[in-house]
């Protein structure tokens, strides 16, 4: 679940923060009423902002925009890292996204809060102001990692100047492409959807990596995290899959408390999904069997079956690779670049 912190500075602002937080049931929300709660009287806003910029997906300041700007400015890390930051005036009349409008979703969250409060959302990003296609908004909505966010300015700049941009994709593309976006030609700027983050079909190439790959992992009891790390890295390198594409880890349920595996998942902020042997054995497909594994855990293959199961029946990208007591396989869930116009309009609302 995503994490949001609200901070207010007056009694009226505290009430507005309470109403706004109730509009985000899909977030774990915390509210800090600095002038209302005596326990916060000795705390520093700078310390609050520093911690929130690290551990939150959304920070909402209910008060003056200048306070918010000064509070977060020392801790800005870049487009790909900063959380969404939104300002609401204490009376709840205006909602203004001031940071990470596209990648962090601040624009969409501001509109959502404004609708719930009966307020006016003030969206200042140029592409939204002109109702132009915003590639970073599309990437966030489709769970794609923007590998080189510094190149967003070239793509967005070309769109705002009315110039065409290119698109290359290793995945199927469906729906009508936005105006100015073309699959052919050789414009100066464009974006690529896929795993090859070194491809450079345009002078200014933005790379979007869909998070669609699941790692199936099996290991001997007591295997350390470094051994798992090495085996996984070699499997990713063999398949030509970047870390940005990895969505989750899967294994058999008897490994759900394996320390090395849990440590590995924690290091990469990835969820571990486990399946019972019966579920893994029932997964359809052609897998690499092992009589020893079948005798030991009750299923003839753990890593391949777990990866495919987690990927909802997706295709294997890398079959079982065994190294130092660790087996790794990669599977990719079905995904396509959907440019349905109605969906794009919904994303802008």
């Amino acid at each position: 679940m995503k994490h949001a912190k609200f901070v207010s500075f007056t009694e009226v602002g505290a009430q507005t923060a309470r109403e706004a937080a109730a509009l985000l049931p899909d977030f774990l929300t915390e509210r800090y009423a600095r002038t209302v709660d005596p326990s916060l009287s000795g705390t520093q806003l700078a310390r609050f902002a520093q911690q929130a910029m690290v551990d939150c997906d959304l920070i909402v300041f209910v008060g003056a925009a200048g306070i918010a700007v000064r509070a977060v400015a020392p801790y800005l890390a870049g487009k790909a890292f900063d959380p969404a930051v939104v300002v609401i005036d204490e009376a709840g009349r205006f909602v203004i996204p001031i940071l990470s409008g596209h990648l962090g979703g601040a624009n969409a969250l501001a509109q959502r809060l404004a609708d719930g409060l009966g307020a006016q959302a003030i969206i200042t990003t140029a592409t939204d102001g002109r109702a132009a296609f915003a590639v970073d908004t599309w990437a966030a909505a489709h769970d794609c990692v923007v590998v080189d966010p510094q190149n967003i300015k070239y793509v967005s700049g070309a769109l705002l100047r009315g110039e065409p941009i290119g698109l290359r994709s290793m995945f199927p593309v469906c729906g009508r492409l936005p105006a100015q976006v073309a699959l052919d030609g050789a414009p100066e700027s464009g974006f690529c959807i896929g795993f090859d983050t070194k491809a450079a079909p345009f002078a200014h190439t933005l790379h979007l990596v869909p998070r669609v790959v699941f790692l199936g992992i099996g290991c001997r009891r007591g295997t350390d995290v470094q051994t798992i790390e090495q085996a996984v890295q070699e499997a990713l390198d063999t398949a030509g899959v970047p870390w940005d594409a990895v969505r989750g880890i899967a294994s058999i349920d008897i490994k759900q408390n394996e320390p090395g595996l849990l440590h590995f998942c924690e290091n990469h902020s990835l969820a571990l999904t486990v399946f019972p042997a019966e579920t893994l054995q029932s997964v359809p497909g052609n897998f690499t069997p092992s009589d020893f594994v079948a005798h030991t855990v009750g299923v003839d293959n753990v890593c391949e079956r777990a990866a495919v199961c987690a990927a909802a029946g997706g295709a294997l990208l890398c079959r079982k690779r065994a190294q130092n007591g660790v087996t790794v396989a990669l599977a990719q869930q079905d995904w396509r670049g959907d440019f349905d116009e109605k969906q794009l309009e919904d994303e802008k609302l």
Side-chain angles (χ1 to χ4, degrees):
M1 179 175 285
K2 291 186 176 181
H3 186 193
K5 288 184 178 178
F6 288 71
V7 59
S8 58
F9 306 93
T10 65
E11 290 188 16
V12 174
Q15 177 59 34
T16 298
R18 186 179 302 109
E19 295 173 3
L23 298 171
L24 301 176
D26 50 329
F27 279 74
L28 172 64
T29 59
E30 300 178 39
R31 290 182 286 112
Y32 298 86
R34 293 183 60 79
T35 57
V36 177
D37 186 346
S39 68
L40 299 175
S41 60
T43 63
Q44 294 185 338
L45 182 61
R47 179 69 182 118
F48 164 86
Q50 182 181 31
Q51 187 63 44
M53 289 290 285
V54 173
D55 62 18
C56 285
D57 302 286
L58 168 66
I59 310 171
V60 179
F61 289 84
V62 182
I67 294 176
V69 171
R70 285 190 291 271
V72 303
Y75 312 112
L76 300 182
K79 274 181 174 288
F81 309 102
D82 296 329
V85 177
V86 172
V87 175
I88 306 176
D89 69 293
E90 68 165 9
R93 296 170 299 173
F94 303 101
V95 185
I96 311 168
I98 64 170
L99 188 65
S100 203
H102 290 159
L103 286 181
N107 287 359
L109 288 166
Q111 188 65 63
R112 179 176 166 186
L113 291 170
D115 290 345
L117 294 170
Q120 174 68 51
I122 309 298
I123 310 297
T124 60
T125 44
T127 50
D128 294 271
R130 299 194 201 178
F133 173 66
V135 65
D136 40 355
T137 296
W138 187 91
H142 292 81
D143 202 14
C144 292
V145 175
V146 179
V147 176
D148 29 31
Q150 70 277 6
N151 288 340
I152 293 173
K153 62 185 178 183
Y154 297 110
V155 174
S156 296
L159 290 168
L160 292 172
R161 291 191 299 271
E163 300 171 3
I165 64 169
L167 166 60
R168 303 290 185 270
S169 178
M170 67 168 279
F171 295 91
V173 173
C174 61
R176 181 181 297 179
L177 292 178
Q180 301 171 243
V181 179
L183 291 168
D184 53 13
E188 183 176 7
S189 300
F191 61 106
C192 289
I193 304 173
F195 298 155
D196 185 359
T197 59
K198 301 299 183 183
F202 315 107
H204 302 296
T205 302
L206 180 69
H207 295 93
L208 309 184
V209 178
R211 297 179 65 243
V212 293
V213 173
F214 287 84
L215 297 172
I217 301 178
C219 63
R220 284 197 299 251
R221 180 183 301 175
T223 302
D224 61 74
V225 65
Q226 292 83 6
T227 301
I228 296 174
E229 188 83 43
Q230 183 178 8
V232 168
Q233 188 62 64
E234 291 196 7
L236 290 171
D237 291 343
T238 298
V241 173
W243 269 107
D244 289 321
V246 179
R247 186 177 183 85
I249 312 298
S251 191
I252 191 168
D253 57 0
I254 62 173
K255 294 298 177 183
Q256 61 185 335
N257 296 315
E258 186 67 40
L261 187 57
L262 293 177
H263 191 182
F264 172 81
C265 293
E266 182 180 359
N267 285 350
H268 294 280
S269 300
L270 293 168
L272 173 64
T273 302
V274 296
F275 304 97
E278 297 80 6
T279 299
L280 294 179
Q281 191 62 49
S282 67
V283 175
N286 179 24
F287 303 106
T288 308
S290 167
D291 292 338
F292 173 78
V293 173
H295 177 74
T296 304
V297 299
V299 59
D300 63 0
N301 182 294
V302 169
C303 63
E304 291 178 359
R305 289 181 178 274
V308 170
C309 196
L316 280 171
L317 297 179
C318 177
R319 288 190 171 274
K320 182 176 76 172
R321 291 179 58 85
Q323 177 180 314
N324 297 327
V326 180
T327 59
V328 182
L330 280 63
Q332 174 195 306
Q333 68 183 38
D334 182 61
W335 189 91
R336 59 197 62 237
D338 189 354
F339 289 90
D340 178 72
E341 284 189 325
K342 182 178 185 303
Q343 180 173 328
L344 288 172
E345 287 303 313
D346 289 345
E347 288 166 6
K348 287 182 177 291
L349 295 178

